[in-house]
Amino acid sequence: MSFKTLLPGSPSPNGQPTTLGVMGGGQLGRMFVQAAQAMGFATVVLDPDPASPAGQISHHHIRAAYDDEPGLAQLIQRSDAITTEFENVPAAALATLAAQRTVAPSASCVAVAQDRVKEKAHFEQCAPISGVAPAPHAVITTDASLAAVPDDLLPGILKTARMGYDGKGQLRVASRAQLAEAWDQLDKVPCVLEKMLTLRAECSVIVARGADGQVVSFPVQKNTHHEGILAITEVFDGAIEAGLAQRAQASTVAIANHLRYVGVLCVEYFVVERADGTTDLVVNEMAPRPHNSGHYTQNACDISQFEAQVRALAGLPLPVPRQHSPTIMINLLGDLWFEPNAVRAQASKTPVSPPWAAVLALPGTHLHLYGKLGARPGRKMGHLNVTGASVTRVRETTAQALALLGLPALGV
Ligand code: ADP
Ligand code: MG
């Protein structure tokens, strides 16, 4: 379907309010719904979970599997345009939707982001334009391709081509024997072996691209992971060296343009150390949607990544986002409801709410919880954005919030 501008608040041809649809009802869908509703759009979410974070707050919630034909038909009937909040939505479902409605990002763009093999090939095609290449790697799909892996990729990380996230579906290997064993352990599904790089830092860039090809970039965010999951994101001048940050932004724009991408795209990068001690940039992976590392935009920028997603989907203008405050985002995982066990939950397994009142007493703290009922270790429950007049102030407040939450200082 071709793109048309959808004006919020005006009725669509079938008489219902202009409605934006989203495949998936997790926290990213919820924050998309919130941004869409703030602008006056009605929303519809397709997600099988009756308690899904986005389903809870959307005008309509279709409780169906992502490949359920009656569910998809209902989504088409209710929506004027449709987006997705996760990359593993079945490609056939997006194709069904796209036959009758504007869908952004397109099924073909999502297919690239779903599969590390296609993703790496795309990054390599873009490298001459973007100036940033992926890590040295090899694709492993057969015993012969396993045997043909060059020695200089070891030690490395074996990653499943599909369905990996938050460090899942990855094994570190130091020798050929370990590599063979790891591939066995991953049931010999198609994989990518990447050379293990020495990382100085990790960063990511979010861009929004409209159907007219206009693309705008958010500032570069510096990310710190803990046990494979994003822990904090820091965004202010100097968090990432200026030259590298500019290259990361230009590379992300080139990657989006080359795909003729429409919507919000996040690309992750590694800052690596070369043998001579200088730094370089390596492109890691991309997400065809807003990203955990972009949540700071809600409170530190004049347009959030979710509003940008709404605007791109609705064919509305995309002015260049401006960051108006230095910021740090703290990810809030379910562990916080249990730890330190002895103090908060008296060593019981009953979840206890973290000390939100004390945290919110700190100036410049913005709490976002996703409405998930059951806290579980590792489950993403929310995030806390910290803003302030200066980097020093933001760091101080973040350190206080981390201490109140019993979290490690993580270099803040
Ligand atoms: P996921 O889909 O789980 O986010 P990533 O490819 O981003 O998968 O890997 C997760 C984390 O593992 C990265 O953020 C980084 O810290 C580390 N990592 C991944 N690939 C490499 C590599 N080639 N060298 C060093 N560290 C890596
Ligand atoms: Mg990643």
Side-chain angles (χ1 to χ4, degrees):
M1 289 292 288
S2 64
F3 250 88
K4 46 182 184 294
T5 300
L6 301 173
L7 295 177
S10 57
S12 64
N14 60 9
Q16 65 183 9
T18 304
T19 304
L20 302 182
V22 57
M23 287 287 273
Q27 62 267 18
L28 299 177
R30 178 181 174 101
M31 291 182 275
F32 168 81
V33 162
Q34 287 167 337
Q37 291 180 345
M39 286 180 73
F41 289 107
T43 58
V44 52
V45 168
L46 186 145
D47 189 295
D49 178 2
S52 76
Q56 284 171 23
I57 64 157
S58 179
H59 293 87
H60 307 284
H61 178 191
I62 303 166
R63 288 167 201 171
Y66 302 117
D67 55 0
D68 177 73
E69 282 186 14
L72 293 171
Q74 219 191 112
L75 184 62
I76 290 169
Q77 186 262 321
R78 288 204 179 273
S79 308
D80 292 284
I82 302 164
T83 190
T84 177
E85 64 126 32
F86 69 124
E87 51 270 47
N88 292 322
V89 51
L94 282 187
T96 302
L97 300 174
Q100 296 195 55
R101 287 292 181 272
T102 297
V103 172
S106 68
S108 61
C109 287
V110 174
V112 174
Q114 268 177 359
D115 186 322
R116 286 189 200 276
V117 176
K118 289 196 184 118
E119 191 175 67
K120 291 253 187 308
H122 178 70
F123 291 155
E124 281 188 323
Q125 276 172 21
C126 289
I129 317 160
S130 70
V132 182
H137 64 278
V139 175
I140 298 176
T141 51
T142 59
D143 288 317
S145 53
L146 178 75
V149 163
D151 282 335
D152 66 2
L153 291 184
L154 294 167
I157 306 187
L158 186 67
K159 304 180 179 179
T160 58
R162 302 179 74 89
M163 305 299 260
Y165 69 99
D166 289 343
K168 295 188 176 67
Q170 296 191 9
L171 293 166
R172 295 182 176 217
V173 292
S175 65
R176 301 195 82 90
Q178 279 181 12
L179 171 62
E181 206 174 293
W183 194 45
D184 246 10
Q185 216 174 309
L186 295 173
D187 295 327
K188 295 196 169 190
V189 294
C191 281
V192 173
L193 174 70
E194 267 178 56
K195 188 179 173 71
M196 177 79 78
L197 304 172
T198 307
L199 309 189
R200 263 213 197 162
E202 297 190 52
C203 63
S204 53
V205 182
I206 287 162
V207 295
R209 188 173 182 278
D212 59 358
Q214 192 211 350
V215 52
V216 293
S217 174
F218 285 89
V220 178
Q221 48 257 4
K222 179 183 175 193
N223 302 323
T224 304
H225 296 83
H226 184 64
E227 292 172 356
I229 303 180
L230 183 66
I232 61 166
T233 293
E234 297 167 90
V235 194
F236 40 77
D237 285 346
I240 293 288
E241 199 186 300
L244 290 176
Q246 275 168 18
R247 280 184 63 202
Q249 280 183 316
S251 160
T252 310
V253 169
I255 287 166
N257 282 338
H258 200 258
L259 282 168
R260 294 176 193 275
Y261 191 90
V262 179
V264 168
L265 175 76
C266 177
V267 182
E268 295 179 12
Y269 296 87
F270 298 145
V271 178
V272 295
E273 213 170 285
R274 291 202 207 95
D276 63 2
T278 57
T279 49
D280 199 5
L281 210 55
V282 166
V283 55
N284 176 34
E285 61 172 356
M286 64 184 185
R289 50 169 172 78
H291 192 259
N292 199 162
S293 64
H295 292 349
Y296 74 92
T297 57
Q298 291 173 310
N299 299 107
C301 296
D302 59 4
I303 172 170
S304 76
Q305 61 171 349
F306 301 102
E307 184 178 340
Q309 185 185 18
V310 170
R311 286 173 178 245
L313 182 64
L316 292 168
L318 284 168
V320 178
R322 183 179 69 87
Q323 184 179 1
H324 48 69
S325 170
T327 186
I328 299 178
M329 181 219 62
I330 305 172
N331 236 3
L332 304 171
L333 303 181
D335 310 61
L336 285 179
W337 274 250
F338 298 96
E339 284 177 1
N341 277 339
V343 180
R344 284 212 210 105
Q346 266 81 46
S348 81
K349 289 278 175 272
T350 318
V352 172
S353 185
W356 298 135
V359 169
L360 291 171
L362 302 170
T365 52
H366 313 271
L367 180 64
H368 300 259
L369 292 179
Y370 309 145
K372 297 182 183 177
L373 292 177
R376 284 195 306 273
R379 189 172 197 205
K380 288 180 182 168
M381 301 297 289
H383 61 275
L384 184 79
N385 288 334
V386 179
T387 55
S390 67
V391 176
T392 310
R393 196 59 209 265
V394 169
R395 280 211 170 105
E396 279 168 7
T397 307
T398 304
Q400 288 172 308
L402 289 169
L404 284 169
L405 294 169
L407 288 168
L410 292 165
V412 169

